[in-house]
Amino acid sequence: MLVSAKEMLQKAREGKYAVGQFNINNLEWTKAVLLTAQEMKSPVILGVSEGAGKYMTGFGTVAAMVKAMIDELNITVPVALHLDHGTYDGCYKCIKAGFSSIMFDGSHYPIAENVEKTTELVHVAHQLGLSIEAEVGSIGGEEDGVVGMGECADPDECKQIADLGVDMLAAGIGNIHGKYPENWSGLSFDTLAAVNEKVGDMPLVLHGGTGIPEDMIKKAISLGVAKINVNTECQLSFAAATREYIEAGKDQQGKGFDPRKLLAPGAEAIKATVREKIELFGSANKA
Ligand code: 13P
């Protein structure tokens, strides 16, 4: 069932758990995430970055694939198809393509411009029944070639953006995309608590979910985080399982080179990672 992310995130915020956003890269990824969410009776968000959208030949292809797959696989849990870190133009492309949710990342604009563009996109998204995420305070690390420094959001600016009627808010709290460096000082719970107090019952989004220790995840959820984004961790498990298959020479045995066989261990590894995260985030049996 393709739905906006609004209701599933409000329920998560109220029930003190988080819905996972798992970024997708291709058919195998999408199938693995959808099947695991269904198996665990969990709502799920499929994240698509602009780079991944381009890789899959365009947002129209992605939306058509996801809709058809939900139908063919009899996926009955709520699924949101969400643009991750969208540009202004990217948001309009995804709205047109049939996504059910968008993120407008205006965090690199001066706050006045972020407000102006977010206001417009909130209006358009809501008229068409889509949910919308905004961001204040950039997330560290690299995403599609853009490197952020992981600054902490200003709670007053968060309130300003939350008041525009967005459905979920990503606030930088020292989180970083990709693997966390050895000298990472951890999430800033002071910032998160201050943001949470300012924005009322707004579902908060934690980007950079890969490699955050379990206790920090649980604490973040207790402070209003209702959506956690995971991308790199699925890529790492896919790559490790694929490498093991090839290093064991299995692609040389029989028809082991058949892509359906070659990509199967990686797909199973993605499923295992998604399963683990759904359990940790507490969204199993919440569909
Ligand atoms: P990771 O790649 O660190 O899991 O972050 C994912 C993310 O935040 C996507 O927006």
Side-chain angles (χ1 to χ4, degrees):
M1 204 178 19
L2 190 67
V3 295
S4 103
K6 185 186 169 91
E7 196 185 316
M8 65 169 88
L9 293 181
Q10 279 174 347
K11 279 191 191 163
R13 161 108 215 191
E14 265 168 45
K16 293 236 182 273
Y17 60 91
V19 178
Q21 171 189 307
F22 300 98
N23 284 48
I24 56 170
N25 291 290
N26 60 16
L27 181 142
E28 280 73 21
W29 239 265
T30 314
K31 182 175 164 188
V33 177
L34 286 177
L35 286 174
T36 310
Q38 181 70 25
E39 176 192 304
M40 300 192 71
K41 300 190 174 57
S42 169
V44 75
I45 298 169
L46 303 177
V48 182
S49 68
E50 299 217 354
K54 198 167 158 197
Y55 173 77
M56 289 184 270
T57 76
F59 296 124
T61 307
V62 178
M65 173 179 73
V66 168
K67 285 177 189 172
M69 220 183 256
I70 288 174
D71 187 40
E72 299 283 359
L73 295 173
N74 295 315
I75 303 295
T76 56
V77 296
V79 179
L81 176 58
H82 181 75
L83 170 64
D84 191 26
H85 292 283
T87 58
Y88 179 81
D89 289 344
C91 284
Y92 277 105
K93 281 188 188 154
C94 286
I95 290 170
K96 188 161 165 260
F99 276 45
S100 65
S101 191
I102 51 173
M103 171 183 189
F104 171 58
D105 182 355
S107 62
H108 49 285
Y109 290 114
I111 187 73
E113 199 170 347
N114 191 356
V115 167
E116 189 190 324
K117 290 192 161 67
T118 303
T119 305
E120 177 192 315
L121 286 161
V122 164
H123 181 72
V124 176
H126 285 175
Q127 262 191 339
L128 297 166
L130 281 81
S131 47
I132 175 164
E133 172 178 346
E135 176 170 326
V136 181
S138 77
I139 314 295
E142 193 246 324
E143 180 104 337
D144 281 349
V146 182
V147 180
M149 297 313 287
E151 68 192 50
C152 282
D154 172 344
D156 288 316
E157 289 186 2
C158 289
K159 174 153 174 55
Q160 208 180 337
I161 297 281
D163 285 349
L164 303 176
V166 298
D167 302 289
M168 55 201 124
L169 182 71
I173 54 167
N175 40 338
I176 298 175
H177 289 126
K179 289 185 191 173
Y180 283 86
E182 291 284 323
N183 61 354
W184 179 54
S185 53
L187 297 176
S188 168
F189 289 110
D190 289 346
T191 307
L192 181 57
V195 170
N196 190 33
E197 200 172 305
K198 289 269 179 190
V199 301
D201 57 2
M202 167 72 54
L204 297 173
V205 183
L206 181 60
H207 282 250
T210 294
I212 297 180
E214 283 193 26
D215 57 331
M216 287 195 201
I217 293 281
K218 295 214 161 112
K219 187 156 181 196
I221 293 174
S222 78
L223 289 168
V225 165
K227 171 175 178 276
I228 303 177
N229 294 3
V230 178
N231 183 16
T232 307
E233 207 158 324
C234 290
Q235 300 186 357
L236 292 170
S237 20
F238 176 86
T242 308
R243 183 174 345 100
E244 198 182 308
Y245 180 87
I246 291 180
E247 281 179 357
K250 293 191 181 160
D251 59 316
Q252 319 263 346
Q253 295 160 17
K255 283 244 183 178
F257 53 82
D258 178 336
R260 282 174 260 167
K261 293 197 167 75
L262 182 64
L263 298 175
E268 283 306 316
I270 294 171
K271 281 188 184 172
T273 300
V274 173
R275 214 174 279 131
E276 201 181 285
K277 297 295 169 195
I278 286 178
E279 252 158 38
L280 174 63
F281 302 164
S283 70
N285 298 310
K286 304 285 189 194

